[in-house]
């Protein structure tokens, strides 16, 4: 098996803190490439500017997450010590695109994603 991904949101991690650890234990060393895709919800202000603090949705009511850094630190630590790659997305679409892109490059060689430069001296000098 080549790759596995665990999707988790900060909200779900806050409500079920043991879930990620259990999923990591089940996937440990089973897959060559392992990813934790973390969905970080961001609050939108009245003018369309994104505020820095995520929200929890409980019973249809938006609530601020008190300290999202604590949850992100926990998830980052778990990913680091379990040798998982952590990718954070800030919308459902962004998370889906990360997963889609990762899946499309799963069996391709590393040079498929490397930058291509022209062979002439001037092009190599400017890059």
């Amino acid at each position: 098996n080549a790759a596995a991904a665990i999707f988790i949101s900060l909200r779900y991690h806050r409500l079920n803190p043991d879930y990620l650890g259990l999923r990591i234990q089940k996937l440990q060393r089973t897959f060559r490439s392992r990813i934790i895709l973390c969905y970080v919800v961001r609050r939108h202000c009245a003018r369309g500017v994104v505020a820095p603090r995520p929200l929890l949705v409980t019973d249809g009511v938006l609530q601020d997450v008190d300290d999202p850094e604590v949850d992100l630190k926990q998830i980052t630590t778990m990913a680091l010590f379990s040798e998982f790659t952590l990718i954070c997305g800030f919308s459902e679409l962004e998370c889906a695109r990360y997963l889609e892109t990762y899946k499309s490059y799963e069996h391709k060689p590393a040079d498929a994603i490397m930058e291509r430069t022209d062979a002439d001296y001037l092009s190599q000098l400017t890059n």
Side-chain angles (χ1 to χ4, degrees), residues 7 11 20 31 34 37 40 59 62 87 90-91 97 126:
F7 177 81
R11 178 176 70 112
L20 186 59
F31 295 88
R34 298 171 303 276
L37 183 57
V40 181
D59 298 327
L62 294 175
I87 300 173
F90 297 95
S91 71
R97 286 188 177 157
T126 57

Side-chain angles (χ1 to χ4, degrees), residues 36-49:
I36 296 173
L37 183 57
C38 182
Y39 174 42
V40 181
V41 180
R42 294 174 58 156
R43 177 175 53 180
H44 292 277
C45 297
R47 292 187 207 133
V49 178

Side-chain angles (χ1 to χ4, degrees), residues 61-79:
V61 179
L62 294 175
Q63 299 175 350
D64 282 329
V65 173
D66 295 333
D67 194 8
E69 290 83 14
V70 172
D71 295 323
L72 280 173
K73 185 177 179 181
Q74 290 173 353
I75 293 172
T76 302
T77 303
M78 295 169 99

Side-chain angles (χ1 to χ4, degrees), residues 20-127:
L20 186 59
L22 294 172
R23 296 294 297 156
I24 287 173
Q25 285 178 354
K26 287 182 181 180
L27 295 178
Q28 199 70 10
R29 309 283 183 245
T30 306
F31 295 88
R32 182 175 49 91
S33 183
R34 298 171 303 276
I35 301 170
I36 296 173
L37 183 57
C38 182
Y39 174 42
V40 181
V41 180
R42 294 174 58 156
R43 177 175 53 180
H44 292 277
C45 297
R47 292 187 207 133
V49 178
V50 177
R53 292 180 47 186
L55 298 174
L56 280 176
V57 179
T58 306
D59 298 327
V61 179
L62 294 175
Q63 299 175 350
D64 282 329
V65 173
D66 295 333
D67 194 8
E69 290 83 14
V70 172
D71 295 323
L72 280 173
K73 185 177 179 181
Q74 290 173 353
I75 293 172
T76 302
T77 303
M78 295 169 99
L80 179 68
F81 288 120
S82 303
E83 298 178 1
F84 274 68
T85 300
L86 176 63
I87 300 173
C88 293
F90 297 95
S91 71
E92 292 95 348
L93 182 61
E94 184 179 8
C95 290
R97 286 188 177 157
Y98 276 130
L99 192 59
E100 183 179 60
T101 303
Y102 197 87
K103 188 68 178 163
S104 68
Y105 283 101
E106 182 178 16
H107 297 291
K108 294 185 180 179
D111 61 346
I113 60 173
M114 292 176 62
E115 181 182 12
R116 289 169 180 72
T117 57
D118 294 331
D120 67 323
Y121 178 73
L122 183 59
S123 296
Q124 290 179 0
L125 185 65
T126 57
N127 289 332

